Amino acid sequence: MRRLGVTLALLAALAPLAACTVNPATGEQSFTGFMPESEEIRVGAQEHPKILREFGGAYDNPALADYARHVGERLARVSETPNLRYTFTILNDDKVNAFALPGGYVYITRGLLALADNEAEMAGVLAHEIGHVVARHTAQRYSQAMAANIGLTLLGVLGQAAGAPGTVGDLAQFGAAAALQSYSREQEMEADMLAVRYMTRVGYGPGAMNSFFRKMEAQAGLEAALSGQPDPEARYGIMSTHPRTAQRIEQAIALARVNAVASPHYERDAFLARIEGMTYGDDPRQGIRRGREFIHPELRFRFVVPPGFALFNSPRQVVARGPEKSLIVFDMEAEGKARSVGALTSYIAHDWGRRFALREVEPIAVNGLDGATGHARIQTRSGVMDLRLVAIRGEAGRIHRLIFLTPPRLTESLRAELQRTTYSFRVLSPAEAAGVKPLRVALATVKPGDTVESLAARMPFAEYRVERFEVLNGLSRNQKLVPGVKLKTVVQ
């Protein structure tokens, strides 16, 4: 009887499944029964501060923020939800990314702005994200997930009552979770179609969506080359969260059934003037990568990773990916807890590394700083790996942490280089820290005789200068430059 009562309760919970509505933007029926519009606004407001923390906060450039907000609001006003209070934010993140939360929270990164070439390309991205909001795609995904969970729970109860094994529901739930991880192809098409609609209503050429897509493809290829890995960190950026093809964008333009814009505006000069001087790459407040070196001028430390390792930076940790899934992860213990830590050997053995049964835990000295280390062999999602933990007590009682993961067959050959990484950690002097400056976007006017190679040679990169310059400006190999045209470059 108890099982029957649970079943009846679950059947009652399925009643909202009938609550399908017609979306005014798409004209299609959609199931959003588990997230009404009022809940979308609440969820967006609740999650907004978390997004800011995760992505380095809002980029501190009020004029640029106002510019993006003005363009976004013009697009929102011609959408089917003009009365929704939209919030447009430029995130202080160098990765090329854009996304939206329910309730009208739209985000683009400064890395995306650096890649764009004109206002129309930026508008295409903003319009696409507005399309996701208007079509209520997050509400659809959430409601479908809730329905799947209720249905799978019901399946488990009924199945067990009929003698079916309990793992049936677990397997189905795994498949449902995997299917709901990203927007569906239909939702992406709807967002593109709506983006075309909104862009044309304010006079932008929708072809800018295609030109920016080609830039994103080129950027993804460059990041793969820079990382030295076929599946780089970029897989977590806009190309993975918004899987598209040029053909699908053209299809969306056709489906939008809009009249061609007689004199589309792109506003290239205005856009480039706005992003000139913008931080490019890492923000010093989150640490800066210089090749294989990581420098944090505010916290005043630096270290160097081995050859063959590619650095990736985020507000919470630094990751270096090496051969055969070798990994170095750097982070810091929470400030409050770090002040209460006593002996570092006890800290890594019984606190930070307590799950790993570390062997040979011992104190070490790293350039005048107290440290400790220990190692273990562990099972990971990548298979059996050798683990080494290193903790170093820095200035103001901070505890800096390094995790080294290597496949056993490479541990010995990488041992010396990984030790060099540990002992490369040192405190920066105030003068050294003050001398660390971010890279910035600059504009260069092409002069007669200038080439891609000659302009790229001025950029402060150790490798892939030509490729970086081409991607930054949407240029193809051996393309002739036109004197008088402004192009983006990077300066220190």
Side-chain angles (χ1 to χ4, degrees), residues 461-475:
F461 299 111
E463 56 183 2
Y464 292 99
R465 287 180 180 174
V466 170
E467 292 82 359
R468 290 176 192 263
F469 184 80
E470 289 174 336
V471 169
L472 193 61
N473 291 286
L475 300 172

Side-chain angles (χ1 to χ4, degrees), residues 414-482:
L414 290 173
R415 185 185 305 278
E417 288 291 353
L418 297 181
Q419 284 180 340
R420 289 190 185 97
T421 293
T422 296
Y423 291 100
S424 71
F425 186 96
R426 69 174 178 85
V427 174
L428 298 176
S429 69
E432 287 177 314
V436 178
K437 303 296 182 184
L439 302 180
R440 298 197 177 275
V441 175
L443 300 180
T445 301
V446 177
K447 297 179 174 58
D450 281 344
T451 64
V452 167
E453 289 77 13
S454 66
L455 292 178
R458 305 175 190 175
M459 299 205 302
F461 299 111
E463 56 183 2
Y464 292 99
R465 287 180 180 174
V466 170
E467 292 82 359
R468 290 176 192 263
F469 184 80
E470 289 174 336
V471 169
L472 193 61
N473 291 286
L475 300 172
S476 58
R477 185 55 50 94
N478 301 321
Q479 184 171 338
K480 298 293 184 182
L481 302 185
V482 179

Side-chain angles (χ1 to χ4, degrees), residues 128 132 183-192 242 248:
H128 179 94
H132 280 306
Y183 288 123
S184 70
R185 180 173 298 185
E186 291 74 17
Q187 289 172 329
E188 284 297 307
M189 179 64 72
E190 282 184 348
D192 274 338
H242 296 278
R248 277 166 53 192

Side-chain angles (χ1 to χ4, degrees), residues 82 85 109 112 134 175 252 283 294 319 323 346 354 362 366-367 395 409 471 483:
R85 185 177 178 181
T109 61
L112 184 146
V134 173
D283 186 316
F294 181 78
V319 175
S346 177
R354 65 184 180 277
E362 58 184 354
V366 180
N367 293 315
E395 291 192 327
R409 62 181 297 273
V471 169

Side-chain angles (χ1 to χ4, degrees), residues 152-443:
L152 290 168
T153 304
L154 178 60
L155 174 64
V157 171
L158 294 177
Q160 289 175 34
T167 55
V168 171
D170 294 337
L171 291 172
Q173 187 169 4
F174 173 80
L180 294 168
Q181 284 301 306
S182 61
Y183 288 123
S184 70
R185 180 173 298 185
E186 291 74 17
Q187 289 172 329
E188 284 297 307
M189 179 64 72
E190 282 184 348
D192 274 338
M193 182 189 70
L194 294 175
V196 172
R197 181 185 298 173
Y198 306 149
M199 289 180 72
T200 57
R201 284 177 178 175
V202 296
Y204 294 114
M209 293 173 61
N210 244 336
S211 64
F212 190 67
F213 172 77
R214 289 192 291 271
K215 290 183 176 70
M216 291 190 297
E217 280 191 314
Q219 175 71 18
L222 174 62
E223 289 177 356
L226 290 171
S227 71
Q229 300 194 33
D231 189 21
E233 189 82 353
R235 66 186 181 274
Y236 300 117
I238 193 170
M239 292 293 281
S240 62
T241 56
H242 296 278
R244 303 147 90 186
T245 65
Q247 292 74 18
R248 277 166 53 192
I249 294 174
E250 291 291 348
Q251 185 181 356
I253 293 174
L255 288 172
R257 296 187 181 91
V258 294
N259 295 324
V261 180
S263 299
H265 56 265
Y266 294 90
E267 305 297 340
R268 182 174 188 270
D269 288 344
F271 176 81
L272 292 179
R274 297 282 187 169
I275 67 169
E276 185 174 19
M278 183 178 68
T279 301
Y280 182 88
D282 295 330
D283 186 316
R285 289 172 294 182
Q286 300 169 10
I288 286 181
R289 294 164 293 173
R290 291 287 186 263
R292 294 185 291 110
E293 184 179 24
F294 181 78
I295 311 165
H296 205 303
E298 287 200 357
L299 299 180
R300 290 179 47 202
F301 68 83
R302 53 86 73 181
F303 61 88
V304 182
V305 299
F309 281 73
L311 279 169
F312 300 93
N313 190 18
S314 74
R316 291 188 298 176
Q317 64 182 19
V318 181
V319 175
R321 301 182 184 277
E324 298 186 31
K325 299 185 178 180
S326 298
L327 203 64
I328 302 171
V329 180
F330 171 87
D331 69 0
M332 296 174 61
E333 179 59 90
E335 187 175 342
K337 182 175 179 179
R339 287 195 294 266
S340 67
V341 169
L344 288 179
T345 50
S346 177
Y347 167 71
I348 69 168
H350 305 300
D351 188 340
W352 180 35
R354 65 184 180 277
R355 295 178 297 147
F356 303 120
L358 296 176
R359 303 191 301 273
E360 298 179 355
V361 175
E362 58 184 354
I364 58 174
V366 180
N367 293 315
L369 303 172
D370 291 335
T373 186
H375 67 93
R377 180 160 289 182
I378 64 173
Q379 181 69 44
T380 73
R381 286 181 294 180
S382 299
V384 175
M385 301 286 275
D386 284 334
L387 166 76
R388 179 168 290 278
L389 300 183
V390 174
I392 301 169
R393 200 189 308 271
E395 291 192 327
R398 300 186 187 100
I399 295 179
H400 308 275
R401 309 191 302 192
L402 286 159
I403 299 173
F404 300 95
L405 279 171
T406 53
R409 62 181 297 273
L410 291 185
T411 299
E412 190 57 39
S413 61
L414 290 173
R415 185 185 305 278
E417 288 291 353
L418 297 181
Q419 284 180 340
R420 289 190 185 97
T421 293
T422 296
Y423 291 100
S424 71
F425 186 96
R426 69 174 178 85
V427 174
L428 298 176
S429 69
E432 287 177 314
V436 178
K437 303 296 182 184
L439 302 180
R440 298 197 177 275
V441 175
L443 300 180

